[in-house]
Amino acid sequence: MADNRTLAQHALKSDSFGRILLVQQAEGRFVRRDLGATPWWLRAPAWWLARREARALRHIDGMQAVPKLLAWDGRRLDRSFMAGDAMYQRPPRGDVAWFHDARRLLQELHRRGVAHNDLAKEANWLVTEAGHPALIDFQLAVIGNPRSRWMRLLAREDLRHLLKHKRMYCRESLTPVEKRVLKRTSWVRELWFATGKPVYRFVTRRILHWEDNEGQGPKP
């Protein structure tokens, strides 16, 4: 940041990979991911995740409804503040327009060659103050050629997760095509549930003590 005079800061979330702070400075508010408090044995993965987020945000710079990368120095990642509530805090129940906008947002993200890769968590979907969708937390984002088979597969998984939320909050508006997309599962999903997810649950719940219900995400 150009002006480092911090007036106030408030912890939004704290876990084993660092702290998420809302920082107030003279020129406005921004969000900081601070790795300073990360245990030594988690510093490498925490750095890798933050670096991944920084790369993704840099890649989609200028896109609306996503954070803007302000700074990344290897220890602290600063991004623009986005006013709104997580989906689980302010569910877009029956809001067909919100889900239409969310799908267009995903399509733009994918056209730019980025798959979010963590949209099962409602905490990563925002309902802005104006009632529009926005995306945060790009730690698991993948960058690639949007026309490649791999990126198309990941894009479809992003869409499937959005449609699962739509089925939860706006079921009557699911189209026949969307229902077919929900029924089609990829080998990536099957491999994840067979191998990665059991390990993920053991690490996050038994070691890191996260309460991750894949709806609200890790809680403070």
Side-chain angles (χ1 to χ4, degrees):
M1 303 291 294
D3 185 346
N4 292 323
R5 292 174 298 170
T6 298
L7 303 179
Q9 59 183 26
H10 170 68
L12 299 176
K13 186 177 80 171
S14 180
D15 58 37
S16 301
F17 289 115
R19 293 183 301 163
I20 306 298
L21 304 170
L22 178 60
V23 182
Q24 178 71 52
Q25 289 191 332
E27 68 276 20
R29 293 181 291 178
F30 67 93
V31 176
R32 168 169 291 165
R33 183 183 299 278
D34 188 352
L35 309 184
T38 306
W40 66 267
W41 56 283
L42 285 174
R43 286 175 188 167
W47 173 86
W48 181 81
L49 290 170
R51 176 178 176 270
R52 196 179 186 96
E53 180 168 29
R55 289 183 65 244
L57 294 181
R58 191 177 293 117
H59 190 81
I60 57 176
D61 184 49
M63 182 175 165
Q64 299 297 312
V66 297
K68 178 180 177 59
L69 178 67
L70 302 177
W72 163 241
D73 62 6
R75 176 180 173 180
R76 297 183 299 186
L77 184 152
D78 294 346
R79 63 168 177 82
S80 60
F81 172 72
M82 303 185 70
D85 300 298
M87 180 191 284
Y88 69 91
Q89 295 172 320
R90 186 180 164 196
R93 202 177 305 278
D95 192 343
V96 180
W98 190 94
F99 283 100
H100 285 171
D101 289 346
R103 184 158 185 171
R104 285 194 289 268
L105 174 58
L106 268 190
Q107 289 171 339
E108 182 178 357
L109 183 72
H110 296 153
R111 281 196 299 268
R112 290 172 179 254
V114 174
H116 188 283
N117 215 31
D118 198 19
L119 293 181
K121 296 177 182 176
E122 294 187 16
N124 292 341
W125 286 99
L126 290 187
V127 180
T128 68
E129 290 183 334
H132 300 301
L135 291 172
I136 60 172
D137 197 349
F138 285 76
Q139 291 186 96
L140 297 180
V142 176
I143 301 173
N145 184 342
R147 297 183 179 181
S148 71
R149 185 176 180 181
W150 174 241
M151 290 300 292
R152 290 202 308 269
L153 181 61
L154 294 180
R156 191 174 70 191
E157 287 301 297
D158 276 355
L159 175 60
R160 281 188 69 255
H161 289 310
L162 171 61
L163 294 180
K164 286 169 70 175
H165 298 312
K166 185 177 182 180
R167 184 174 59 192
M168 171 69 72
Y169 296 118
C170 211
R171 178 183 289 268
E172 67 282 356
S173 298
L174 284 171
T175 68
V177 172
E178 290 173 340
K179 291 176 182 178
R180 288 198 294 271
V181 171
L182 282 168
K183 289 180 180 179
R184 289 183 58 189
T185 59
S186 70
W187 64 265
V188 172
R189 177 185 179 278
E190 298 303 326
L191 182 63
W192 167 248
F193 273 87
T195 59
K197 186 139 191 177
V199 175
Y200 171 82
R201 282 177 170 169
F202 176 80
V203 172
T204 57
R205 297 181 183 182
R206 299 294 183 87
I207 299 178
L208 303 180
H209 304 295
W210 285 358
E211 298 177 26
D212 187 356
N213 63 4
E214 208 167 71
Q216 299 179 8
K219 300 177 182 178

